[in-house]
Amino acid sequence: MQTGMKLKAFYNKPFFKDGRFILYLWIAISVFMGIFNSLTGRLHNNYKIYKYVFLNIIEQFPLYQHRPQFFDDVNHYGPVFGVIMAPFALMPDLIGATLWLVFLAMVLYFAVKELPLKPWQHLAILLICTNSMIIAQTNVQFNTATAALIILSYAFIRKEKDCWAAFMIMLGTFVKLYGIVGFAFFFFSKHKPKLILCSIIWGVVFFVLPMIISSPGFIAGQYKDWFNELVIKNQGNGSALQQNVSFLGMIHKSTGNFEFSNLPTLLGALLLFALPYLRIREYRQDSFQLLTLASVLIFTVLFSTGSEPNTYIIALTGVAIWFVIQPRPYSGWSLFLIIFGIVISSFGPSDLFPGSLYRQVIRPYALQALPCTLIWLTIVYEMLFKKSDIYLTNPQK
């Protein structure tokens, strides 16, 4: 009881009632990274790839071919991503890269603020995610925006703004496929036909949109090439050191067996993911919906062979949402999991974690996925067996 009172007093401090601190912090981090990397000649290769998605569309140069004179590796994003990058690509790199990082940070910040939670919970989520956000920003990753699009898909469905929810789902899908998981919130919608119709409309819009700055024939061909590139990338992810940092990768790399199929594991995971939907009466409860959101965010990373260390901004956002709605006083298991998750899944790839331990133990066996796996299984258990009224999800209380 005394611990609970101390925590309540701590969370009631002005710091937790004003989210502007974290807003300014995230902006400052993004501006620093953009300017520092540009001025030191270390502009990240990912930004160059993103920039040339737009420039290649304009030139009608194949989006999924190497252009070693401009960037390393190849593009893995859909043609519509070039439209998103247009305003940034047209700027000098220093300004464009900096504003791009600020944009990514702000999208996630405001997405989290849309969740039906108290101000202190919003701030706690953002604080828990800060280190993962820094890692993603260091690598100029779109994953920060991917997490935001998934959250906004849910938030707009909850607010009965299904056309905007469809916009977020289809945008995320046409950029990086991950956005398709937004349909996991379909059963929470009160306007399901509208959500389906708007999804079809937005799908057509995003398919056609890049054609406005290029040509229909070129863009149609690029969608076919995009599919082929993703298939090739998926095949190469299995044993790559920096790829498949997922539950799937953890199994393969820990056993040293890269030959067995992921299909049985994926089917089992999908079954576990789907089981809580049998509790139809819980659909209208904010706690059940938020646990579903947390589950979706973590699942997206754990069961994707394309997961990288910087992809964990998506999973850590789910971890943070799960933790801030946990009943108080926090159980020992919840405290263990959040500490384990922050230390290994968030700080593991960073300079704040012992480098030798990460290089020799965590990275080779994809153990960055272990805490998130335990948390995801805990979420599934809670969704199946816990009562909704024990969670901290009413912003009016």
Side-chain angles (χ1 to χ4, degrees):
M1 181 67 71
Q2 197 172 32
T3 302
M5 292 177 65
K6 289 181 179 179
L7 283 171
K8 185 175 181 180
F10 178 72
Y11 287 132
N12 282 331
K13 292 182 178 181
F15 174 84
F16 287 98
K17 295 181 181 295
D18 187 347
R20 286 177 294 181
F21 167 79
I22 200 72
L23 172 64
Y24 300 149
L25 176 63
W26 280 26
I27 290 175
I29 290 170
S30 301
V31 169
F32 172 78
M33 287 183 174
I35 294 176
F36 179 78
N37 288 339
S38 298
L39 293 180
T40 56
R42 296 189 297 178
L43 183 66
H44 200 281
N45 184 64
N46 283 339
Y47 181 74
K48 297 177 185 177
I49 293 175
Y50 300 164
K51 173 182 175 178
Y52 273 89
V53 177
F54 168 71
L55 296 178
N56 286 344
I57 287 177
I58 296 296
E59 298 175 20
Q60 296 194 25
F61 184 92
L63 300 182
Y64 307 100
Q65 286 188 19
H66 289 275
R67 295 195 80 175
Q69 69 272 37
F70 297 119
F71 55 82
D72 300 321
D73 205 351
V74 294
N75 168 47
H76 302 301
Y77 292 79
V80 77
F81 187 60
V83 180
I84 296 173
M85 286 303 301
F88 305 98
L90 291 171
M91 299 177 187
D93 284 344
L94 186 150
I95 299 174
T98 301
L99 291 180
W100 172 245
L101 291 178
V102 172
F103 169 75
L104 292 175
M106 292 305 92
V107 169
L108 181 56
Y109 173 86
F110 287 108
V112 169
K113 299 289 281 187
E114 289 295 316
L115 294 174
L117 296 168
K118 297 178 183 179
W120 75 262
Q121 291 170 306
H122 292 145
L123 185 55
I125 292 170
L126 295 167
L127 285 171
I128 290 171
C129 292
T130 294
N131 186 68
S132 295
M133 188 276 296
I134 292 172
I135 294 173
Q137 296 289 73
T138 301
N139 293 282
V140 199
Q141 285 286 338
F142 187 76
N143 293 315
T144 306
T146 298
L149 290 172
I150 295 171
I151 292 171
L152 290 172
S153 301
Y154 160 69
F156 282 125
I157 284 177
R158 182 181 179 276
K159 293 183 176 183
E160 300 185 47
K161 297 180 179 180
D162 291 72
C163 272
W164 281 113
F167 174 92
M168 300 300 168
I169 294 170
M170 298 312 295
L171 179 61
T173 302
F174 274 80
V175 169
K176 204 181 178 183
L177 293 187
Y178 283 160
I180 196 72
V181 300
F183 282 117
F185 314 121
F186 175 81
F187 296 106
F188 304 151
S189 172
K190 296 179 182 178
H191 312 285
K192 294 177 178 64
K194 182 179 178 181
L195 179 61
I196 294 172
L197 177 61
C198 288
S199 296
I200 294 171
I201 292 172
W202 282 119
V204 172
V205 169
F206 292 137
F207 184 86
V208 173
L209 191 60
M211 298 178 184
I212 297 175
I213 59 175
S214 186
S215 71
F218 173 75
I219 295 300
Q222 294 311 295
Y223 279 109
K224 180 181 178 180
D225 291 346
W226 184 32
F227 175 79
N228 293 333
E229 176 59 33
L230 291 177
V231 171
I232 294 171
K233 182 176 185 295
N234 181 65
Q235 292 172 346
N237 284 340
S239 59
L241 191 60
Q242 291 289 352
Q243 299 286 339
N244 204 6
V245 185
S246 63
F247 178 74
L248 302 172
M250 186 169 62
I251 295 176
H252 285 292
K253 294 178 182 181
S254 297
T255 61
N257 187 342
F258 296 94
E259 301 303 322
F260 63 83
S261 172
N262 287 323
L263 185 59
T265 306
L266 286 172
L267 291 176
L270 285 170
L271 177 61
L272 281 177
F273 177 83
L275 280 176
Y277 284 103
L278 296 175
R279 300 184 72 187
I280 298 174
R281 292 183 180 180
E282 298 291 319
Y283 285 5
R284 299 303 176 199
Q285 301 297 324
D286 284 344
S287 58
F288 186 85
Q289 293 182 7
L290 286 167
L291 286 172
T292 302
L293 173 60
S295 175
V296 168
L297 289 163
I298 299 172
F299 183 96
T300 300
V301 176
L302 287 183
F303 299 98
S304 168
T305 60
S307 293
E308 302 171 325
N310 48 61
T311 313
Y312 274 75
I313 180 59
I314 303 172
L316 261 292
T317 305
V319 167
I321 291 170
W322 163 77
F323 180 70
V324 300
I325 67 172
Q326 288 299 298
R328 293 201 299 255
Y330 299 114
S331 69
W333 180 242
S334 295
L335 290 173
F336 164 75
L337 286 178
I338 191 64
I339 294 170
F340 191 33
I342 290 173
V343 171
I344 303 298
S345 296
S346 179
F347 285 91
S350 73
D351 293 335
L352 299 175
F353 191 85
S356 58
L357 181 60
Y358 176 71
R359 290 189 298 271
Q360 296 173 20
V361 180
I362 304 299
R363 186 172 64 180
Y365 303 108
L367 294 181
Q368 192 176 353
L370 179 58
C372 290
T373 300
L374 296 177
I375 292 169
W376 181 72
L377 291 173
T378 299
I379 291 171
V380 172
Y381 172 82
E382 291 178 356
M383 293 178 70
L384 283 170
F385 301 110
K386 293 292 183 72
K387 294 181 179 179
S388 297
D389 58 3
I390 67 172
Y391 295 96
L392 308 176
T393 57
N394 188 342
Q396 304 304 320
K397 289 184 180 180

mmCIF file of all heavy atoms in Angstrom, residues 324-339:
data_model
loop_
_atom_site.group_PDB
_atom_site.id
_atom_site.type_symbol
_atom_site.label_atom_id
_atom_site.label_comp_id
_atom_site.label_asym_id
_atom_site.label_seq_id
_atom_site.Cartn_x
_atom_site.Cartn_y
_atom_site.Cartn_z
ATOM 1 N N VAL A 324 1.658 0.350 -18.985
ATOM 2 C CA VAL A 324 1.028 1.499 -18.308
ATOM 3 C C VAL A 324 -0.420 1.245 -17.930
ATOM 4 O O VAL A 324 -0.985 2.005 -17.130
ATOM 5 C CB VAL A 324 1.108 2.782 -19.163
ATOM 6 C CG1 VAL A 324 2.552 3.152 -19.451
ATOM 7 C CG2 VAL A 324 0.290 2.664 -20.447
ATOM 8 N N ILE A 325 -1.038 0.188 -18.477
ATOM 9 C CA ILE A 325 -2.418 -0.106 -18.072
ATOM 10 C C ILE A 325 -2.485 -1.229 -17.045
ATOM 11 O O ILE A 325 -3.574 -1.634 -16.635
ATOM 12 C CB ILE A 325 -3.311 -0.443 -19.274
ATOM 13 C CG1 ILE A 325 -2.904 -1.758 -19.930
ATOM 14 C CG2 ILE A 325 -3.312 0.697 -20.285
ATOM 15 C CD1 ILE A 325 -3.875 -2.229 -21.010
ATOM 16 N N GLN A 326 -1.329 -1.727 -16.617
ATOM 17 C CA GLN A 326 -1.318 -2.792 -15.626
ATOM 18 C C GLN A 326 -1.891 -2.295 -14.296
ATOM 19 O O GLN A 326 -1.664 -1.150 -13.893
ATOM 20 C CB GLN A 326 0.101 -3.306 -15.405
ATOM 21 C CG GLN A 326 0.648 -4.122 -16.565
ATOM 22 C CD GLN A 326 -0.167 -5.370 -16.839
ATOM 23 O OE1 GLN A 326 -0.275 -6.257 -15.999
ATOM 24 N NE2 GLN A 326 -0.757 -5.421 -18.034
ATOM 25 N N PRO A 327 -2.653 -3.160 -13.613
ATOM 26 C CA PRO A 327 -3.223 -2.756 -12.323
ATOM 27 C C PRO A 327 -2.127 -2.493 -11.299
ATOM 28 O O PRO A 327 -1.060 -3.104 -11.341
ATOM 29 C CB PRO A 327 -4.092 -3.948 -11.929
ATOM 30 C CG PRO A 327 -3.534 -5.106 -12.698
ATOM 31 C CD PRO A 327 -3.021 -4.533 -13.986
ATOM 32 N N ARG A 328 -2.404 -1.555 -10.388
ATOM 33 C CA ARG A 328 -1.471 -1.255 -9.310
ATOM 34 C C ARG A 328 -1.992 -1.849 -8.006
ATOM 35 O O ARG A 328 -3.204 -1.907 -7.808
ATOM 36 C CB ARG A 328 -1.266 0.263 -9.177
ATOM 37 C CG ARG A 328 -0.566 0.875 -10.372
ATOM 38 C CD ARG A 328 0.067 2.211 -10.020
ATOM 39 N NE ARG A 328 -0.901 3.185 -9.583
ATOM 40 C CZ ARG A 328 -1.331 4.215 -10.302
ATOM 41 N NH1 ARG A 328 -0.883 4.389 -11.529
ATOM 42 N NH2 ARG A 328 -2.209 5.056 -9.829
ATOM 43 N N PRO A 329 -1.115 -2.254 -7.101
ATOM 44 C CA PRO A 329 0.351 -2.214 -7.229
ATOM 45 C C PRO A 329 0.824 -3.214 -8.284
ATOM 46 O O PRO A 329 0.237 -4.282 -8.459
ATOM 47 C CB PRO A 329 0.836 -2.614 -5.840
ATOM 48 C CG PRO A 329 -0.271 -3.446 -5.279
ATOM 49 C CD PRO A 329 -1.537 -2.850 -5.811
ATOM 50 N N TYR A 330 1.887 -2.852 -8.994
ATOM 51 C CA TYR A 330 2.385 -3.703 -10.053
ATOM 52 C C TYR A 330 2.853 -5.040 -9.493
ATOM 53 O O TYR A 330 3.490 -5.105 -8.445
ATOM 54 C CB TYR A 330 3.551 -3.021 -10.780
ATOM 55 C CG TYR A 330 3.172 -1.733 -11.436
ATOM 56 C CD1 TYR A 330 3.705 -0.521 -10.988
ATOM 57 C CD2 TYR A 330 2.279 -1.715 -12.502
ATOM 58 C CE1 TYR A 330 3.354 0.676 -11.597
ATOM 59 C CE2 TYR A 330 1.924 -0.526 -13.113
ATOM 60 C CZ TYR A 330 2.464 0.671 -12.655
ATOM 61 O OH TYR A 330 2.106 1.846 -13.252
ATOM 62 N N SER A 331 2.541 -6.095 -10.204
ATOM 63 C CA SER A 331 2.998 -7.419 -9.786
ATOM 64 C C SER A 331 4.494 -7.560 -10.036
ATOM 65 O O SER A 331 5.076 -6.844 -10.865
ATOM 66 C CB SER A 331 2.242 -8.500 -10.569
ATOM 67 O OG SER A 331 2.632 -8.491 -11.932
ATOM 68 N N GLY A 332 5.105 -8.477 -9.319
ATOM 69 C CA GLY A 332 6.528 -8.722 -9.526
ATOM 70 C C GLY A 332 6.820 -9.161 -10.947
ATOM 71 O O GLY A 332 7.850 -8.800 -11.521
ATOM 72 N N TRP A 333 5.896 -9.933 -11.544
ATOM 73 C CA TRP A 333 6.081 -10.410 -12.912
ATOM 74 C C TRP A 333 6.063 -9.242 -13.904
ATOM 75 O O TRP A 333 6.899 -9.179 -14.805
ATOM 76 C CB TRP A 333 4.994 -11.424 -13.246
ATOM 77 C CG TRP A 333 5.055 -11.994 -14.633
ATOM 78 C CD1 TRP A 333 4.120 -11.893 -15.613
ATOM 79 C CD2 TRP A 333 6.115 -12.787 -15.203
ATOM 80 N NE1 TRP A 333 4.503 -12.549 -16.753
ATOM 81 C CE2 TRP A 333 5.741 -13.120 -16.531
ATOM 82 C CE3 TRP A 333 7.348 -13.241 -14.721
ATOM 83 C CZ2 TRP A 333 6.547 -13.875 -17.373
ATOM 84 C CZ3 TRP A 333 8.151 -13.998 -15.567
ATOM 85 C CH2 TRP A 333 7.752 -14.303 -16.869
ATOM 86 N N SER A 334 5.126 -8.303 -13.708
ATOM 87 C CA SER A 334 5.038 -7.148 -14.601
ATOM 88 C C SER A 334 6.298 -6.295 -14.502
ATOM 89 O O SER A 334 6.833 -5.836 -15.521
ATOM 90 C CB SER A 334 3.809 -6.301 -14.261
ATOM 91 O OG SER A 334 2.620 -7.016 -14.507
ATOM 92 N N LEU A 335 6.776 -6.073 -13.289
ATOM 93 C CA LEU A 335 7.983 -5.271 -13.100
ATOM 94 C C LEU A 335 9.204 -5.963 -13.705
ATOM 95 O O LEU A 335 10.048 -5.320 -14.330
ATOM 96 C CB LEU A 335 8.206 -5.001 -11.615
ATOM 97 C CG LEU A 335 7.206 -4.035 -10.955
ATOM 98 C CD1 LEU A 335 7.429 -3.988 -9.447
ATOM 99 C CD2 LEU A 335 7.324 -2.645 -11.557
ATOM 100 N N PHE A 336 9.281 -7.272 -13.510
ATOM 101 C CA PHE A 336 10.394 -8.018 -14.102
ATOM 102 C C PHE A 336 10.375 -7.897 -15.621
ATOM 103 O O PHE A 336 11.402 -7.639 -16.257
ATOM 104 C CB PHE A 336 10.327 -9.494 -13.697
ATOM 105 C CG PHE A 336 11.196 -10.379 -14.552
ATOM 106 C CD1 PHE A 336 12.578 -10.383 -14.389
ATOM 107 C CD2 PHE A 336 10.635 -11.188 -15.540
ATOM 108 C CE1 PHE A 336 13.391 -11.188 -15.192
ATOM 109 C CE2 PHE A 336 11.439 -11.988 -16.347
ATOM 110 C CZ PHE A 336 12.817 -11.981 -16.168
ATOM 111 N N LEU A 337 9.194 -8.066 -16.216
ATOM 112 C CA LEU A 337 9.084 -8.044 -17.670
ATOM 113 C C LEU A 337 9.421 -6.683 -18.247
ATOM 114 O O LEU A 337 10.119 -6.594 -19.271
ATOM 115 C CB LEU A 337 7.672 -8.457 -18.107
ATOM 116 C CG LEU A 337 7.332 -9.940 -17.978
ATOM 117 C CD1 LEU A 337 5.893 -10.184 -18.412
ATOM 118 C CD2 LEU A 337 8.279 -10.808 -18.805
ATOM 119 N N ILE A 338 8.953 -5.608 -17.614
ATOM 120 C CA ILE A 338 9.228 -4.283 -18.184
ATOM 121 C C ILE A 338 10.715 -3.952 -18.073
ATOM 122 O O ILE A 338 11.311 -3.396 -19.000
ATOM 123 C CB ILE A 338 8.354 -3.182 -17.531
ATOM 124 C CG1 ILE A 338 8.475 -1.877 -18.319
ATOM 125 C CG2 ILE A 338 8.715 -2.967 -16.074
ATOM 126 C CD1 ILE A 338 7.957 -1.939 -19.721
ATOM 127 N N ILE A 339 11.344 -4.337 -16.962
ATOM 128 C CA ILE A 339 12.787 -4.096 -16.805
ATOM 129 C C ILE A 339 13.572 -4.955 -17.789
ATOM 130 O O ILE A 339 14.490 -4.473 -18.472
ATOM 131 C CB ILE A 339 13.226 -4.376 -15.355
ATOM 132 C CG1 ILE A 339 12.573 -3.357 -14.397
ATOM 133 C CG2 ILE A 339 14.748 -4.316 -15.235
ATOM 134 C CD1 ILE A 339 12.758 -3.686 -12.933
#
